[in-house]
Amino acid sequence: MSYLPWAVLALAAYAFVSPLMKVATQGDPRIPSNVAALMANSLLVFGTASIVVYNDSDVIGYLTHSKSKYVFAAGLCLTVGILAYYRALSIGQVSIVSPIFGMFLVLSSVIGIVFLNESLTARKALGIGLAIIAVYLVAVE
């Protein structure tokens, strides 16, 4: 199966996270952003655990895998990023916070090019540059 349907599904689903979290964490009554993060990510953990059980994956064996340190580091980064993102949404505008948060795509691309020896083509460089310009135009009032 191609990665493209999964990427489009991720895009479609994730597009609703920001507006829904904004509604949940603002106004009266509101849910504090850290509580909203716990609630939302508990669903993520439960859903992922269900898939792991369904696929009969050996989680325990991977805890000591030579690359598990990268997974734990990614989890730490994800935790900090999501908590900060939800907090920013609770006090800022979705139309500004989301594009700034979305710059992780550009930064991840640059990290892949610089540290993982991924190719840098003229098209990729132009795309990265245009993404930076687009976020600037959206985020600066």
Side-chain angles (χ1 to χ4, degrees):
M1 179 182 230
S2 170
Y3 65 87
L4 192 55
W6 292 107
V8 171
L9 178 59
L11 165 67
Y14 214 83
F16 288 96
V17 172
S18 301
L20 291 170
M21 277 298 162
K22 177 70 172 181
V23 170
T25 60
Q26 275 203 334
D28 190 31
R30 69 176 186 84
I31 298 173
S33 61
N34 56 342
V35 175
L38 177 64
M39 293 167 63
N41 287 288
S42 293
L43 292 173
L44 171 64
V45 170
F46 178 76
T48 305
S50 299
I51 291 170
V52 166
V53 168
Y54 178 80
N55 288 330
D56 196 29
S57 298
D58 176 28
V59 175
I60 303 300
Y62 287 110
L63 293 176
T64 58
H65 191 279
S66 63
K67 292 191 174 183
S68 64
K69 61 187 170 202
Y70 298 108
V71 175
F72 295 132
L76 179 62
C77 292
L78 180 63
T79 300
V80 171
I82 291 296
L83 288 172
Y85 179 48
Y86 288 2
R87 177 70 177 134
L89 285 170
S90 74
I91 57 179
Q93 298 177 30
V94 171
S95 62
I96 295 174
V97 171
S98 290
I100 292 170
F101 172 75
M103 285 296 291
F104 81 87
L105 300 169
V106 169
L107 188 54
S108 294
S109 296
V110 171
I111 290 169
I113 292 164
V114 172
F115 295 106
L116 302 177
N117 297 318
E118 295 180 358
S119 64
L120 175 61
T121 63
R123 180 189 286 183
K124 281 184 187 178
L126 180 62
I128 289 169
L130 290 174
I132 292 168
I133 292 168
V135 169
Y136 176 80
L137 292 173
V138 171
V140 175
E141 292 183 338

